[in-house]
Amino acid sequence: MEGIFAIWQRDLKKFFRDRARLFGSFTMPILFLLIFGGGLSGTMESMMTGNLGEGSENFNYVEFIFPGIVSMTLLMTAIFSAMSIIEDKNFGYMKEILVSPISRVSIAVGKMSGAATVSTIQGVILFLLIPFLGLSYSIVSLLLVIPFMFLLGAALSGVGLLFASMIKSTQGFQLIVQILVMPMIFLSGALFPINNMPGWLNVIVKLNPVTYGVDVMKKIMIDVESLSSTVRETMGLNLTVFGRQVSVLEEILFILGFAILFVAIATVSFKHAHA
């Protein structure tokens, strides 16, 4: 446990000392809020009211995408946090860790915990925008979603750790991760419904862990039951797998399993890493 705590603490200290990284990580989420929330909210809400009529008048598009924007922040922060592994390799710090008595599992868990904590902090900071956006999430729902944000951040950081353990340069890591991150965002339901995708894209959507993360966050933060069944169906709030609607518990268990799987894969990768 001491090894895990030491790695976790080091990553947090690096995060708080790097103000440029702290500021830069909010740029894209805020841009998406401005572009999609400000630019498309009127169109989406008018379309819902015009096409669906009664029951859709209370639909708020910004409220719909805000949990997705938070999930996007978790994804980007968690994965890009793994880039510190490449820096540690270049400066020799990773070699010191690998030859120390700390187990490879502890290294992977420590790194994932650090990335999950950092991403959760940044996600929570986005909550400060809620009053300015005119949204009204309950305090209870915001508190309930924080532990899940940590779990989702841990699961997504595992993806970054795997690539960081195999790639030698930060430039190569950034290129690969950018290619990976954008499809994960756009095929997750974060910004628009994903219930009318072509068959081959629908398979990718259902394999995407961010899909389940976004869905859980929406169901916790948004009062989904107050929306009409037609609105829920149109906006993709009734996520189904093999024709069966999945529950929040099943989605959480899937993400937990995803996190455990990538801890195991990252551990194996660290064993073969050349620091």
Side-chain angles (χ1 to χ4, degrees), residues 5-19 21 118:
F5 178 76
I7 294 172
W8 172 83
Q9 186 181 49
R10 179 176 180 269
D11 284 353
L12 251 67
K13 287 181 178 179
K14 288 179 64 178
F15 166 69
F16 284 112
R17 289 172 181 173
D18 192 348
R19 295 183 181 179
R21 174 186 169 192
V118 168

Side-chain angles (χ1 to χ4, degrees), residues 136-158:
S136 57
Y137 301 111
S138 71
I139 298 296
V140 174
S141 66
L142 295 180
L143 292 176
L144 286 174
V145 84
I146 291 175
F148 176 74
M149 288 166 60
F150 181 87
L151 174 61
L152 181 60
L156 297 174
S157 68

Side-chain angles (χ1 to χ4, degrees), residues 119-136:
S119 60
T120 301
I121 290 171
Q122 294 200 286
V124 170
I125 292 175
L126 280 181
F127 290 171
L128 298 176
L129 297 176
I130 290 175
F132 301 100
L133 296 172
L135 304 178
S136 57

Side-chain angles (χ1 to χ4, degrees), residues 155-172:
L156 297 174
S157 68
V159 179
L161 290 178
L162 178 60
F163 283 103
S165 64
M166 297 186 297
I167 298 172
K168 296 182 179 180
S169 69
T170 56
Q171 293 85 356

Side-chain angles (χ1 to χ4, degrees), residues 194 206 211-212 215 236-241 244-246 251:
I194 51 172
K206 299 303 169 58
T211 299
Y212 303 97
D215 193 62
L237 296 173
N238 294 329
L239 183 63
T240 60
V241 177
R244 175 180 172 276
Q245 185 172 342
V246 293
E251 292 175 306

Side-chain angles (χ1 to χ4, degrees), residues 180-216:
L180 181 69
V181 163
M182 297 314 294
M184 291 179 75
I185 292 172
F186 286 110
L187 296 178
S188 67
L191 302 172
F192 48 80
I194 51 172
N195 50 343
N196 291 315
M197 294 284 183
W200 65 276
L201 269 182
N202 191 51
V203 173
I204 299 175
V205 166
K206 299 303 169 58
L207 292 176
N208 181 6
V210 187
T211 299
Y212 303 97
V214 169
D215 193 62
V216 170

Side-chain angles (χ1 to χ4, degrees), residues 96-112:
E96 295 179 7
I97 296 180
L98 291 173
V99 299
S100 70
I102 302 175
S103 69
R104 301 298 188 267
V105 175
S106 296
I107 296 173
V109 171
K111 282 291 184 181
M112 290 180 73

Side-chain angles (χ1 to χ4, degrees), residues 37-60:
L40 294 181
S41 59
T43 302
M44 291 294 293
E45 290 166 12
S46 298
M47 181 185 70
M48 293 289 289
T49 304
N51 294 343
L52 302 181
E54 186 177 354
S56 62
E57 61 274 359
N58 294 326
F59 176 74
N60 186 329

